[in-house]
Amino acid sequence: MVPVLITWDIDPYYQNELDKSIRLTIKLLKELNIKSTFFFTAKYANEEIIKTLLKEGHQVGCHGLYHDDHEELDKLPYTEQKQLLDKATKILEEKSKTKITAFRGPRVKISAQTIKVLEELGYNADSTIGSQRLDLISSNLINLGWLIAPRKPYHPARNNPYRKGSSSILEIPVSAAIIPFISTSLKIFGLSFMKSLFNILYKESKRTGKPIVYLIHPIEFLSKKTKFDIKYLIPSKRWLIHGLPIRHYLAGRKDGKETYLNKRLFQYISSKKDVKFMNVDEYLKTKVPK
């Protein structure tokens, strides 16, 4: 079996279009019979949308409380992280009437303190780290921790989330082979490239059992074309939080192809022998590393 986890980050941007984009996502996943995990920014989560997702068999996870410039989990001290994530978890559990057990850090950032907080809050899994990912299309820029992180799911060390240890949290890395297996790569490099990248990950999974994890945002299905602006090239402190702004230009488009491209990619993935789409919780119920 080759586990494939299609995961969705619900960021708080474009609020007036966000619910519409999630409904389009639900329709697409139903058509393709895919069960996914949706990581919600708690403060802006729509209770009705959450109930619809759960009814369709999807999983709701946590993507932080505000997803704002302050919520930098690679830098915040334990006390602040505990307050933020405790509140976020309670909000999502109240809206979903379920136990929230899966997490992804805002802007794919975590720290040893995050792992400690997740353990204390009763989480089972995190899917933030992109093992062996090196690129400029991430808000994390060049994260050296990613380069040394294990490729297969692992329990992090309590003092270093990029090393194996004895934490009860299972880290399920977002897939990468230097280039990340994410929707932005699909928009920049195209469908043929992403099929080739998937084939590399597929062969690895057949050999090692490593799950293939794809990251995407529903709002991309309604994304607006980004115009080039010279300010994208002017250094700014915001680069340290949001990454290089040129990435938004490279990935920005509004030509109706986002849904089409992802659908074609998902169909290609499902055509492969032994592929099984699942959410994080379903993956945890399979045989995972001890």
Side-chain angles (χ1 to χ4, degrees):
M1 179 183 69
V2 176
V4 176
L5 284 62
I6 308 296
T7 61
W8 306 81
D9 288 3
I10 316 298
D11 296 350
Y13 313 117
Y14 308 106
Q15 276 294 305
N16 59 328
E17 295 182 313
L18 189 54
D19 291 349
K20 180 181 179 182
S21 71
I22 299 174
R23 294 188 189 282
L24 288 174
T25 301
I26 293 172
K27 181 180 179 180
L28 174 64
L29 295 177
K30 187 171 186 177
E31 179 183 345
L32 300 178
N33 193 29
I34 295 174
K35 305 304 178 187
S36 292
T37 298
F38 289 75
F39 294 98
F40 277 86
T41 302
K43 189 67 176 178
Y44 308 96
N46 182 312
E47 185 172 346
E48 181 184 351
I49 289 287
I50 284 178
K51 289 179 178 178
T52 301
L53 285 169
L54 294 173
K55 185 177 180 180
E56 292 292 330
H58 302 295
Q59 179 184 7
V60 171
C62 180
H63 195 41
L65 180 59
Y66 299 110
H67 204 297
D68 59 8
D69 288 3
H70 176 72
E71 199 169 354
E72 290 283 274
L73 300 188
D74 59 335
K75 297 180 177 65
L76 287 181
Y78 164 80
T79 302
E80 284 193 67
Q81 291 203 40
K82 181 66 178 292
Q83 292 173 345
L84 288 167
L85 299 187
D86 180 62
K87 187 173 182 179
T89 304
K90 288 177 179 176
I91 289 174
L92 291 173
E93 289 185 340
E94 174 61 28
K95 292 184 177 183
S96 67
K97 301 298 187 291
T98 62
K99 175 67 176 173
I100 302 298
T101 59
F103 183 80
R104 174 170 288 147
R107 289 178 294 278
V108 288
K109 296 178 182 180
I110 59 169
S111 66
Q113 304 303 323
T114 313
I115 296 298
K116 180 180 179 181
V117 169
L118 295 178
E119 282 188 300
E120 293 174 351
L121 294 178
Y123 280 79
N124 295 327
D126 175 72
S127 185
T128 299
I129 291 171
S131 300
Q132 285 73 67
R133 172 177 174 174
L134 179 64
D135 64 88
L136 298 178
I137 53 175
S138 167
S139 51
N140 231 329
L141 289 176
I142 299 174
N143 187 323
L144 298 180
W146 282 359
L147 298 179
I148 64 171
R151 286 191 64 77
K152 293 177 65 176
Y154 64 99
H155 294 279
R158 288 191 169 86
N159 64 347
N160 186 344
Y162 309 110
R163 296 289 192 183
K164 286 184 179 180
S166 58
S167 167
S168 62
I169 301 297
L170 184 69
E171 181 63 41
I172 307 174
V174 177
S175 296
I178 303 300
I179 300 297
F181 191 57
I182 62 176
S183 56
T184 304
S185 297
L186 174 61
K187 287 188 282 187
I188 292 175
F189 299 111
L191 183 59
S192 295
F193 176 89
M194 289 298 282
K195 287 180 179 179
S196 297
L197 178 56
F198 173 78
N199 286 334
I200 293 172
L201 299 171
Y202 176 79
K203 291 177 181 177
E204 178 186 26
S205 180
K206 293 281 285 185
R207 186 178 69 254
T208 68
K210 179 186 182 299
I212 300 172
V213 181
Y214 183 71
L215 186 158
I216 181 172
H217 305 78
I219 197 62
E220 293 174 41
F221 292 161
L222 299 174
S223 63
K224 298 179 180 178
K225 186 170 182 60
T226 304
K227 296 181 179 180
F228 180 78
D229 191 317
I230 192 63
K231 68 182 181 181
Y232 291 154
L233 304 178
I234 301 174
S236 162
K237 290 182 179 179
R238 287 180 61 81
W239 287 19
L240 299 176
I241 297 176
H242 297 278
L244 301 181
I246 192 67
R247 67 194 182 98
H248 298 296
Y249 170 72
L250 293 173
R253 65 195 306 168
K254 189 178 182 182
D255 51 15
K257 290 187 177 181
E258 284 82 356
T259 305
Y260 171 77
L261 287 173
N262 280 280
K263 181 178 180 179
R264 289 288 304 277
L265 179 61
F266 297 162
Q267 288 173 328
Y268 179 78
I269 292 172
S270 65
S271 72
K272 291 291 186 176
K273 184 179 179 181
D274 298 333
V275 158
K276 183 175 177 57
F277 290 105
M278 59 182 68
N279 59 40
V280 170
D281 190 51
E282 289 170 332
Y283 175 71
L284 290 175
K285 294 175 182 176
T286 67
K287 185 177 181 180
V288 296
K290 302 296 183 182

